[in-house]
Amino acid sequence: MLAETMDGGGRACSFCVKPEAEVAKLVTGPGVNICTECVDLAASIVAAYRPGPTELRMPMWGELSDAEMLERLPRVAAVADQVEADLRMWVTELRRRGVTWARIGQALGITRQSAWERFSGEE
Ligand SMILES: [Zn+2]
């Protein structure tokens, strides 16, 4: 479910974390975005290296020092925040449509109570 972005709603590339205003085009997916630069980079990586299915694991922690992992950690957290924000929008829309917390919880494999506690914004 990819789409070209229609506005500058505070989005950023999930890979390089550049804001939408600083990239040529941002393609949005469910909770993640990618800029044209990162698409080109990813395409060149894929073109140069076509691993077998078991080699597709990311990230390759064995090749990263502690400092490199710590440097990347904020980017991982930023992507997690984007995905969480997107998930909240989906749940908000489902609630607007009148879908019950029980059905939302069931879809997520959690209880009605857990869904409500996570997404309702109420105490
Ligand atoms: Zn990017």
Side-chain angles (χ1 to χ4, degrees), residues 33-111:
N33 312 310
I34 189 166
C35 74
T36 44
E37 245 176 75
C38 288
V39 167
D40 290 346
L41 180 61
S44 68
I45 291 168
V46 170
Y49 177 72
R50 292 201 175 269
T54 57
E55 295 174 273
L56 280 170
R57 288 189 313 270
M58 278 283 291
M60 294 151 206
W61 292 327
E63 298 168 13
L64 299 175
S65 69
D66 294 351
E68 287 169 330
M69 285 187 71
L70 287 166
E71 184 188 314
R72 293 182 190 198
L73 204 53
R75 284 193 246 165
V76 176
V79 171
D81 289 347
Q82 286 177 359
V83 173
E84 179 69 19
D86 197 62
L87 181 58
R88 285 183 178 285
M89 288 193 300
W90 279 66
V91 170
T92 299
E93 172 60 14
L94 285 165
R95 290 293 297 156
R96 193 192 63 74
R97 294 180 180 195
V99 174
T100 64
W101 286 115
R103 287 182 68 198
I104 292 167
Q106 185 180 27
L108 291 170
I110 60 178
T111 64

Side-chain angles (χ1 to χ4, degrees), residues 13 15-18 23 34-35 37-38:
C13 177
F15 297 84
C16 68
V17 204
K18 282 184 189 157
V23 300
I34 189 166
C35 74
E37 245 176 75
C38 288

Side-chain angles (χ1 to χ4, degrees), residues 18-32:
K18 282 184 189 157
E20 187 168 19
E22 292 178 23
V23 300
K25 182 69 81 176
L26 196 67
V27 178
T28 64
V32 291

